[in-house]
Amino acid sequence: MSHKNFFNKISDANDDRMPLSMKNYILMLIGFAIIVVGFVLMSGGGSDDPAVFSYEMFSWRRITLAPILVIAGFAFEIFAIMKRF
């Protein structure tokens, strides 16, 4: 079974009456997971000793990758809410 068939079979009896369907909620959970991964990647990099400066906080992962993931997650959330199934 492919992922498209699985996603198309997800439904609820009240989907026609509700503003958001079960598919929207699943997409919103995926977007939330992307945001959480972005914040986890952004964490860390500090020094245990306050007198010692750590350049580790300026890594590519924390400065570039993590904010891109967080912004992409919020954009995906907007798509998940606006998409009409």
Side-chain angles (χ1 to χ4, degrees):
M1 178 187 322
S2 71
H3 67 284
K4 288 185 178 185
N5 290 337
F6 176 75
F7 191 72
N8 288 333
K9 289 182 181 181
I10 296 173
S11 65
D12 188 15
N14 295 322
D15 277 351
D16 295 336
R17 299 182 328 172
M18 301 298 285
L20 297 175
S21 67
M22 186 67 94
K23 294 176 186 178
N24 293 98
Y25 289 117
I26 291 172
L27 290 176
M28 288 171 57
L29 284 174
I30 293 169
F32 180 72
I34 293 170
I35 294 169
V36 168
V37 167
F39 277 115
V40 167
L41 289 175
M42 204 180 300
S43 68
S47 176
D48 293 333
D49 183 12
V52 177
F53 185 77
S54 174
Y55 284 99
E56 199 175 302
M57 74 173 82
F58 297 115
S59 70
W60 181 83
R61 181 188 73 173
R62 290 184 183 91
I63 297 295
T64 307
L65 179 64
I68 289 173
L69 278 177
V70 170
I71 291 171
F74 279 115
F76 193 81
E77 286 288 334
I78 292 170
F79 168 76
I81 292 170
M82 300 300 285
K83 175 71 176 159
R84 187 74 183 145
F85 288 101

